[in-house]
Amino acid sequence: NAGVMQNPRHLVRRRGQEARLRCSPMKGHSHVYWYRQLPEEGLKFMVYLQKENIIDESGMPKERFSAEFPKEGPSILRIQQVVRGDSAAYFCASSPADRGAGYTFGSGTRLTVV
Amino acid sequence: AQTVTQSQPEMSVQEAETVTLSCTYDTSESDYYLFWYKQPPSRQMILVIRQEAYKQQNATENRFSVNFQKAAKSFSLKISDSQLGDAAMYFCAYRSSRLTFGEGTQLTVNP
């Protein structure tokens, strides 16, 4: 039973390019979450999705960032026109509907903007 | 909004000794869950232990146990018989609709 799969593991983008981060949740999990972790800091919530729905995007920057979780395929976190400040580790997590269940995390994507 | 506070940015412990990591949280809800996660240098987030707020009994997982004080909104993690592999960043987390993390405590285990 594969865990949460994130790819790529490392991503380098030049300023102004687009970054697309992918996340396949654990089998049987219908809830997906994206978090961002800056160096030496904790994980900051970005967005919570279920299939074809954004449930909570209160942590998403208003511009350049978007997320989706289509009916088929992985969840995508998209960052347009990346800037140096977007460099961070982006973690995806999934959970079942049970609120008491902990999240299962992917290994993260480390985005470096040069 | 819920907040989670870890007041110890760094802690250290001698191998085989016991260490306690502190965590407090702020919420107006009565039904929630609390977690401790471990993040070793590999960056993988690993669930260590969970606690249901409605349960008075403190959770225990082998060498890991919690001291949950609901009235004080305190949720500390005790690691007994510390091992070198316990060295990691430890995050306390609160969950109602989603998981909110503290800033973390970096634990060093000295041989």
Side-chain angles (χ1 to χ4, degrees):
Chain A
N1 187 11
V4 177
M5 304 302 292
Q6 284 190 252
N7 65 82
R9 190 74 192 270
H10 301 276
L11 181 62
V12 179
R13 284 288 177 265
R14 296 186 183 280
R15 280 178 294 173
Q17 290 185 320
E18 177 180 289
R20 290 171 69 88
L21 287 63
R22 295 175 183 77
C23 170
S24 295
M26 197 164 176
K27 190 174 182 180
H29 287 187
S30 56
H31 300 234
V32 167
Y33 311 82
W34 286 93
Y35 285 79
R36 176 164 64 177
Q37 185 178 32
L38 295 171
E40 310 301 324
E41 294 188 9
L43 280 75
K44 303 296 186 205
F45 169 77
M46 299 183 75
V47 63
Y48 162 29
L49 311 105
Q50 295 179 23
K51 284 285 187 182
E52 300 184 281
N53 283 306
I54 297 175
I55 306 302
D56 180 355
E57 57 181 348
S58 59
M60 286 279 272
K62 293 287 185 280
E63 298 178 349
R64 302 188 298 108
F65 285 71
S66 62
E68 63 176 7
F69 187 18
K71 187 176 181 180
E72 301 291 337
S75 175
I76 305 288
L77 179 66
R78 183 180 177 208
I79 311 172
Q80 295 179 289
Q81 299 172 352
V82 296
V83 301
R84 288 247 170 90
D86 297 333
S87 296
Y90 292 83
F91 287 90
C92 172
S94 71
S95 77
D98 176 11
R99 244 174 25 119
Y103 293 3
T104 301
F105 281 83
S107 300
T109 294
R110 180 169 293 282
L111 172 65
T112 302
V113 180
V114 298
Chain B
Q2 294 84 19
T3 57
V4 179
T5 302
Q6 293 179 248
S7 59
Q8 306 153 317
E10 297 176 348
M11 290 283 285
S12 63
V13 62
Q14 290 295 128
E15 197 175 2
E17 296 294 309
T18 295
V19 64
T20 298
L21 308 184
S22 301
C23 173
T24 59
Y25 57 94
D26 186 24
T27 184
S28 57
E29 299 182 344
S30 59
D31 183 20
Y32 52 88
Y33 300 83
L34 297 163
F35 303 85
W36 278 96
Y37 278 84
K38 167 185 176 180
Q39 187 179 41
S42 67
R43 291 203 335 251
Q44 181 69 49
M45 292 290 288
I46 302 166
L47 178 63
V48 174
I49 198 165
R50 65 189 284 263
Q51 173 79 44
E52 297 92 334
Y54 61 84
K55 285 189 177 179
Q56 293 185 340
Q57 186 174 5
N58 290 323
T60 299
E61 287 287 341
N62 300 315
R63 297 182 297 107
F64 299 86
S65 61
V66 300
N67 184 5
F68 174 48
Q69 302 290 327
K70 190 172 184 179
K73 295 179 183 174
S74 171
F75 183 61
S76 61
L77 175 69
K78 184 170 85 171
I79 307 174
S80 304
D81 186 24
S82 297
Q83 300 176 0
L84 294 177
D86 294 334
M89 181 73 86
Y90 285 81
F91 293 100
C92 178
Y94 167 102
R95 180 175 185 184
S96 55
S97 59
R98 56 175 170 83
L99 213 51
T100 300
F101 288 92
E103 290 300 313
T105 297
Q106 181 67 53
L107 178 66
T108 301
V109 181
N110 300 311

